[in-house]
Amino acid sequence: MDDNKKILMLAAPLQGVTDNVWRMAQHEVFGGVDAYYAPFMRVEHGDIRRKDLRDVEPERNAGITLIPQILACSPDHSLMMVTALKEMGYNRIDINLGCPFPPIAMHRKGSGMLAYPELIEELFKALGNVEGVKFSVKMRIGWDRNDQWRDILPMMDLISPCHITVHPRTGKQQYKGELDIEQFEAILAASTWPVIYNGGLRTVEDIDQVTHRYPTLPAVMVGSGLAADPGMFAPDAKPEDYRRFHDLLVEGYSNQLNGGEAQLVRHLQDIWQTFMPDIDRKLFKAIRKSRTLDQYLSASAAALASAQ
């Protein structure tokens, strides 16, 4: 990357991956991230999920810049989450208008809300009255049309966002299909607020291409690329660094999860859905077939050794 540019590197929130254990391990071993965005907080059965609150506890995220994120939903539930985060000491909160997964979006939350601008207007009016908090927004270009952002962008004035992070796909596309660069450029031209690019950034070279193409970008947000290679911002990373990163994940989840060995193994297996995607499929299958922690540690050690 061009050292003459001050482009901030932001870690995108990935549900089930970039929690506090992952964040602290990435920061300790590799670094290079200017701010981490927590996976979205949500309200279920009238209460904020306890695991979401635990994930953003300041003591679990010491030494890093963490921006908690709330799932865009009703004003009442959103204000409930904002109030809880303010009480924890947070004065920066991200609003998720990007989650594409049908169980979320079909309930008019996340990117599903983009098809209902009246709901977003109601939400932004409520959040705009909150004192002591600056908001940012992470969004898609639409839910089922690639131009639905046009109805949403003028409403940003209600919350005066720090920035708007744009993933140039619709929610219905999820993570498939072409990135709609034309629509991203239209947003970049139309927005009176800083715009950040997110989507398809798998390598440092990908980031270089985007930042050279759009020199006014204040930052890029990297998700799947950083989950696949947590050392992507550490050019001198060695194989032993990846082993240490993995050891910290095992240690952290061993201390944090309370569902026993089976839960620990399942969670660690899930990490490999995004981590080191180019390993041999036989090694990946051995990880997935592990039923005990010893089996998992043996299989994961073989996978990590293969990447040397």
Side-chain angles (χ1 to χ4, degrees):
M1 284 174 287
D2 187 345
D3 293 335
N4 294 322
K5 290 181 177 180
K6 182 54 180 176
I7 302 292
L8 298 180
M9 299 296 150
L10 311 179
L14 296 181
Q15 292 295 127
V17 179
T18 61
D19 59 15
N20 66 88
V21 173
W22 186 96
R23 294 189 295 266
M24 297 307 293
Q26 194 283 334
H27 173 71
E28 180 175 334
V29 178
F30 301 111
V33 173
D34 293 292
Y36 298 83
Y37 284 66
F40 62 73
M41 178 178 289
R42 75 183 90 173
V43 173
E44 288 184 348
H45 310 298
D47 291 312
I48 302 171
R49 294 202 316 173
R50 300 306 303 173
K51 66 178 293 187
D52 295 345
L53 287 169
R54 288 193 298 270
D55 182 54
V56 298
E57 287 175 352
E59 57 268 29
R60 293 178 187 259
N61 296 277
I64 66 172
T65 298
L66 177 67
I67 311 298
Q69 185 184 78
I70 63 172
L71 181 66
C73 55
S74 71
D76 288 348
H77 284 175
S78 295
L79 289 171
M80 182 191 305
M81 291 184 281
V82 169
T83 299
L85 290 168
K86 283 184 66 178
E87 291 174 352
M88 297 173 78
Y90 289 103
N91 58 16
R92 279 282 315 278
I93 298 173
D94 197 57
I95 304 166
N96 183 301
L97 281 168
C99 178
F101 298 116
I104 296 293
M106 296 308 291
H107 286 87
R108 300 183 182 183
K109 299 177 182 179
S111 67
M113 202 181 238
L114 295 170
Y116 302 92
E118 68 279 6
L119 297 182
I120 294 178
E121 183 176 22
E122 183 182 7
L123 172 62
F124 282 3
K125 282 181 177 178
L127 295 179
N129 291 323
V130 175
E131 296 183 355
V133 174
K134 291 290 290 182
F135 293 100
S136 55
V137 177
K138 188 174 190 299
M139 64 182 288
R140 296 286 180 123
I141 55 177
W143 164 243
D144 53 1
R145 297 199 330 265
N146 68 355
D147 62 349
Q148 285 168 321
W149 63 268
R150 294 184 182 277
D151 293 326
I152 310 305
L153 199 60
M155 298 177 189
M156 295 293 173
D157 291 349
L158 294 170
I159 57 170
S160 301
C162 304
H163 62 254
I164 306 163
T165 303
V166 178
H167 182 122
R169 288 188 178 98
T170 64
K172 279 205 166 183
Q173 281 182 275
Q174 297 195 35
Y175 296 96
K176 301 174 182 177
E178 294 295 321
L179 295 159
D180 197 331
I181 299 303
E182 182 178 340
Q183 292 298 328
F184 175 78
E185 291 177 350
I187 294 173
L188 193 61
S191 177
T192 57
W193 306 100
V195 174
I196 290 172
Y197 181 88
N198 168 243
L201 300 176
R202 300 281 183 175
T203 65
V204 169
E205 289 72 27
D206 292 337
I207 295 173
D208 282 342
Q209 289 181 13
V210 168
T211 55
H212 282 105
R213 184 170 181 175
Y214 309 114
T216 62
L217 291 179
V220 293
M221 183 176 283
V222 186
S224 56
L226 191 59
D229 179 8
M232 71 181 296
F233 300 139
D236 297 326
K238 301 176 177 61
E240 54 263 34
D241 295 322
Y242 290 88
R243 291 195 292 270
R244 181 171 166 237
F245 170 78
H246 179 263
D247 288 346
L248 287 173
L249 295 185
V250 175
E251 178 184 359
Y253 292 126
S254 296
N255 294 332
Q256 191 161 293
L257 299 176
N258 55 15
E261 182 175 300
Q263 183 192 23
L264 173 61
V265 170
R266 285 195 301 271
H267 193 82
L268 290 166
Q269 288 170 329
D270 288 343
I271 295 294
W272 287 86
Q273 297 290 342
T274 52
F275 181 45
M276 296 177 63
D278 295 329
I279 64 167
D280 185 271
R281 299 309 295 174
K282 289 183 179 179
L283 296 173
F284 178 76
K285 287 181 179 179
I287 290 172
R288 296 301 300 173
K289 289 180 178 179
S290 300
R291 292 296 175 263
T292 67
L293 184 57
D294 284 344
Q295 289 173 349
Y296 168 80
L297 292 175
S298 176
S300 60
L304 287 161
S306 75
Q308 293 187 23

